[in-house]
Amino acid sequence: PVHSSCEKGSCYGILLRNMTAFELTREVLCGSCPDVSQESQPQCILRVEPESNAETSIQTSLGVVTIDAFTCEACNGTIARQQTHLAELPRFFVVPINKWAHALGPSTDSKLKVAGVEMQRIAVTHHVGGTPEAGHYTATVTTCTNWRHLLCLLYHSHAATH
């Protein structure tokens, strides 16, 4: 079980995990020899840094990057590149893209390509507040004809004292 509510049959966590799960593979290529190492992990969320739009944010996070403080186990070389790959995409792909308050964030185009697959954006969640536990949440969701700003949630966490 994911947590104690799963045992009572009142948990949507397993359903959500099954609908959003994908395999993320990080491949490290030594720059001094042909050595390549791979590590795959199951994920439900792809975390990315904000760029000009969601598609660019995702592509940048999957791009090739140079690794600092690397030592190759095969040749002791210190130069390496890392490439991140997505295996088969899930039906619902969750990608939080954070931005600082009052900063322009990624555009909210309705369609975007991820790993060569065209996907339809169905919702964007917005948060204004000092922490994820306190603030004002709204969501913009798509309908058959356009985007609608439908949901307004207020969330504030209070520590219980007795």
Side-chain angles (χ1 to χ4, degrees):
V2 176
H3 50 77
S4 61
S5 294
C6 293
E7 295 169 4
K8 299 173 191 165
S10 60
C11 176
Y12 292 101
I14 293 172
L15 173 65
L16 290 172
R17 184 174 56 199
N18 290 341
M19 291 176 18
T20 61
F22 62 93
E23 192 80 12
L24 184 73
T25 302
R26 290 196 171 88
E27 184 177 71
V28 177
L29 302 100
C30 179
S32 303
C33 77
D35 189 59
V36 176
S37 63
Q38 287 188 342
E39 177 187 3
S40 294
Q41 296 179 329
Q43 301 286 322
C44 292
I45 296 173
L46 179 67
R47 289 173 173 72
V48 301
E49 293 298 320
E51 297 287 339
S52 61
N53 61 48
E55 191 170 325
T56 303
S57 298
I58 294 166
Q59 287 174 351
T60 300
S61 75
L62 299 175
V64 176
V65 295
T66 301
I67 299 177
D68 296 327
F70 169 81
T71 303
C72 177
E73 292 179 10
C75 73
N76 289 325
T78 58
I79 300 168
R81 298 182 329 261
Q82 176 178 283
Q83 171 77 56
T84 303
H85 302 277
L86 296 174
E88 190 174 320
L89 291 173
R91 181 168 170 88
F92 296 96
F93 192 44
V94 180
V95 183
I97 304 174
N98 296 328
K99 68 175 188 72
W100 294 102
H102 308 297
L104 291 176
S107 67
T108 54
D109 302 324
S110 63
K111 292 188 189 266
L112 60 141
K113 276 198 174 184
V114 178
V117 175
E118 187 169 291
M119 300 192 84
Q120 175 73 38
R121 184 188 313 241
I122 59 170
V124 176
T125 305
H126 313 277
H127 174 257
V128 177
T131 70
E133 291 79 28
H136 187 81
Y137 283 89
T138 60
T140 305
V141 297
T142 186
T143 64
C144 295
T145 57
N146 59 12
W147 287 89
R148 301 248 189 230
H149 197 74
L150 294 175
L151 182 62
C152 177
L153 300 172
L154 290 174
Y155 180 79
H156 184 70
S157 175
H158 294 286
T161 56
H162 296 285

